[in-house]
């Protein structure tokens, strides 16, 4: 039987763990030699992630010590939704080299949308393709970081 006290302790442990992980990421980022002195560099995203983890962890700690817990009845886990997201991630991992970034990311988007309860597959696929195409353009042409086009995309593209 789950008690309110054990749930508060669990939430406090989770909050402390997230805060510690965020602090560890920030410290490791500070200790890593950086390239150049630009404001937006390779250390920006680890700092943003560490700040987000610390903020979420401190928020969970505050709620745990204030006596309010997120799930009064205990842990609620939708295994079907978790399985759909995991299957989408596995499919993207397995198909990204063959299909490329855009179709595999769109497939992941459809799987996650379905996990959240959407049954509109065609609009979800269209929105997934649009978002994946946008990220492809930003990363490949804006940031000069190459996302995979896939062997199918290379086969369809004319030779230069």
């Amino acid at each position: 039987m789950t008690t309110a006290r054990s749930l508060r302790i669990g939430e406090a442990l989770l909050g402390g763990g997230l805060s510690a992980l965020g602090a560890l990421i920030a410290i490791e980022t500070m200790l890593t030699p950086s390239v150049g002195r630009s404001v937006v560099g390779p250390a920006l995203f680890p700092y943003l992630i560490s700040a987000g983890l610390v903020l979420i962890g401190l928020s969970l700690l505050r709620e745990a010590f204030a006596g309010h817990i997120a799930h009064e009845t205990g842990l609620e886990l939708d295994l079907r939704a978790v399985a759909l997201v995991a299957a989408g991630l596995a499919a993207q991992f397995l198909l990204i080299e063959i299909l490329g970034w855009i179709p595999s990311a769109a497939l992941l988007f459809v799987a996650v949308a379905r996990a959240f309860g959407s049954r509109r597959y065609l609009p979800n696929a269209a929105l997934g393709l649009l978002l994946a195409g946008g990220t492809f353009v930003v990363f490949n042409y804006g940031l000069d970081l190459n996302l995979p086009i896939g062997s199918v995309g290379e086969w369809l593209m004319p030779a230069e």
Side-chain angles (χ1 to χ4, degrees), residues 2-113:
T2 305
T3 64
R5 181 175 181 205
S6 67
L7 288 173
R8 278 199 310 271
I9 291 170
E11 198 154 306
L13 288 172
L14 178 63
L18 285 176
S19 297
L21 180 62
L24 177 69
I25 291 171
I27 290 167
E28 285 295 321
T29 304
M30 279 189 277
L31 296 176
T32 303
S34 64
V35 180
R37 300 296 249 174
S38 63
V39 175
V40 178
L44 175 67
F45 287 108
Y47 281 131
L48 289 175
I49 290 168
S50 67
L53 285 171
V54 168
L55 288 174
I56 290 170
L58 291 176
S59 174
L60 284 171
L61 280 171
R62 182 181 58 90
E63 293 297 320
F65 289 125
H68 176 74
I69 51 179
H71 298 284
E72 300 285 341
T73 59
L75 180 65
E76 298 173 14
L77 182 63
D78 185 359
L79 288 175
R80 185 174 173 276
V82 171
L84 277 168
V85 172
L89 283 168
Q92 183 183 29
F93 177 74
L94 294 171
L95 296 174
I96 196 164
E97 289 297 322
I98 298 165
L99 297 178
W101 170 259
I102 296 173
S104 64
L107 254 163
L108 175 61
F109 185 86
V110 170
V112 171

Side-chain angles (χ1 to χ4, degrees), residues 101-102 106 109 123-137:
W101 170 259
I102 296 173
F109 185 86
N124 289 339
L127 183 58
L129 284 170
L130 183 70
L131 290 171
T135 58
F136 184 84
V137 167

